[in-house]
Amino acid sequence: MGMSALYGHADRDESIATIHAALDAGVTLLDTGDFYAMGHNELLIGEALRTAPAALREKALTSVKFGALRDPDGGWSGYDGRPAAVKNFAAYSLQRLGVDHIDVYRIARLDPDVPVEETVGAIAELVEAGHVRHIGLSEVGAETLRRAAAAAPVSDLQIEYSLLSRGIEAEILPTARELGIGVTAYGVLSRGLISGHVTRDRQFAANDFRGMSPRFQGENLQRNLDLVDALRKVAEERGATVAQTAIAWVLSRGEDIVPLVGARTRERLAESLGALDVALSPDDLAAIEAAVPAGAAAGERYPESQMAHLDSER
């Protein structure tokens, strides 16, 4: 997402080089949304895949979110999960990505006006036709997850999960595990907040989502960076960076959880991949929990207007 929108300026050449570096390092999952800068991100990934070595291109898996409605000025107009819309969105994504199928296809947010059974049913028809491999969901609660899984074989739930966002642990994660549904964790660095690279006087560009994110505002930012300082002490004692420690913590939650890395440059990618070499002992995990206790984050993860769209928060 950050390579196309919502995090300020991004360099196109560096973005493609970063995707190539990720594939070369063994990363196989490329996650996007058809609404990231109104198709720009899918076109970017399509170009990166087209120019990557064939052996790496063939290993790449695409995960696509759909359903968010945009306008020419970049505004948001809700979500559309109607079966006809699902198939329409998929047709455009396949074209922009330059692929003959999408590996995981999911609505970005539950459409409150369309039963989830109808939405996943439409994706199931795309699976049957060979255009999609697996059905996914995003940011839904346990009850919705059960209803969807009863209607069609759901493979994966994408949802925010990090040291600062642990709400899924109470009900959603246990339900996913009961149903045999994997979890793709986004926001593992809380949009850079616990990357170790955000300063207390950081000013965000007008087109940077974080400028209006509650966790990056005023006193909330200062309190959250206090948590980062505590985590930094733990990380340094183990010879790791803050970002690597935060990612390693998500990796430690279970083999059914796959953390998404939102690096926009090869330098940040290399740092994030270093988390694979960070083995956390029980003592390490206890120290991390002490530094960043569950529920310690100051501020909601989205502005109030966007929180209202999260079925996972109901």
Side-chain angles (χ1 to χ4, degrees):
M1 181 184 72
M3 292 179 175
S4 296
L6 299 180
Y7 281 178
H9 174 73
D11 181 271
R12 185 179 186 85
D13 290 341
E14 179 62 23
S15 295
I16 291 175
T18 301
I19 295 173
H20 286 169
L23 294 172
D24 188 56
V27 173
T28 55
L29 179 65
L30 301 179
D31 180 79
T32 185
D34 64 9
F35 50 90
Y36 291 169
M38 289 71 81
H40 178 278
N41 199 243
E42 289 183 318
L43 291 169
L44 182 76
I45 290 174
E47 181 178 347
L49 289 174
R50 189 170 61 252
T51 55
L56 298 180
R57 182 171 62 247
E58 292 169 2
K59 294 180 180 179
L61 306 175
T62 53
S63 168
V64 178
K65 292 178 291 297
F66 68 87
L69 303 176
R70 308 295 302 273
D71 65 36
D73 296 321
W76 302 81
S77 308
Y79 297 89
D80 193 344
R82 295 172 301 140
V86 173
K87 295 175 182 179
N88 178 76
F89 289 133
Y92 282 88
S93 287
L94 289 165
Q95 180 67 25
R96 285 188 290 255
L97 289 166
V99 296
D100 61 8
H101 70 273
I102 296 166
D103 291 285
V104 186
Y105 201 50
R106 68 183 93 236
I107 190 164
R109 299 288 186 269
L110 184 68
D111 182 344
D113 298 322
V114 178
V116 68
E117 292 86 350
E118 293 185 15
T119 301
V120 298
I123 304 175
E125 291 179 5
L126 290 170
V127 172
E128 185 176 357
H131 303 305
V132 169
R133 291 283 169 83
H134 303 285
I135 301 170
L137 288 167
S138 176
E139 286 289 358
V140 300
E143 179 183 351
T144 301
L145 195 58
R146 289 187 186 281
R147 286 174 50 197
V154 176
S155 297
D156 180 74
L157 170 65
Q158 184 174 125
I159 196 163
E160 186 167 355
Y161 188 41
S162 71
L163 279 167
L164 295 189
S165 299
R166 297 179 61 174
I168 73 169
E169 292 176 345
E171 187 176 8
I172 296 174
L173 182 55
T175 299
R177 285 175 166 162
E178 175 191 336
L179 298 172
I181 296 172
V183 170
T184 299
Y186 77 86
V188 294
L189 294 179
S190 296
R191 297 166 184 81
L193 184 55
I194 52 174
S195 68
H197 302 296
V198 174
T199 59
R200 293 181 183 272
D201 59 352
R202 175 74 176 267
Q203 298 294 315
F204 295 99
N207 61 344
D208 193 320
F209 160 83
R210 293 170 293 185
M212 61 178 182
S213 173
R215 290 183 176 174
F216 288 84
Q217 302 300 308
E219 185 60 28
N220 285 348
L221 176 61
Q222 303 310 315
R223 288 169 57 191
N224 289 326
L225 290 182
D226 287 343
L227 297 174
V228 174
D229 288 342
L231 183 61
R232 181 177 285 107
K233 293 178 181 179
V234 177
E236 290 177 348
E237 289 176 359
R238 285 144 187 84
T241 69
V242 175
Q244 289 168 348
T245 304
I247 296 170
W249 180 87
V250 176
L251 282 166
S252 76
R253 299 296 88 188
E255 293 184 358
D256 56 342
I257 299 175
V258 176
L260 290 180
V261 173
R264 296 191 293 167
T265 66
R266 284 168 286 182
E267 179 183 5
R268 290 287 183 261
L269 172 69
E271 179 186 9
S272 295
L273 292 178
L276 295 170
D277 298 322
V278 179
L280 298 175
S281 69
D283 286 346
D284 294 335
L285 293 172
I288 292 170
E289 291 275 355
V292 188
E300 298 284 2
R301 54 197 182 101
Y302 284 101
E304 185 177 354
S305 60
Q306 295 183 33
M307 289 292 288
H309 293 291
L310 298 178
D311 180 72
S312 56
E313 294 288 342
R314 293 173 189 164

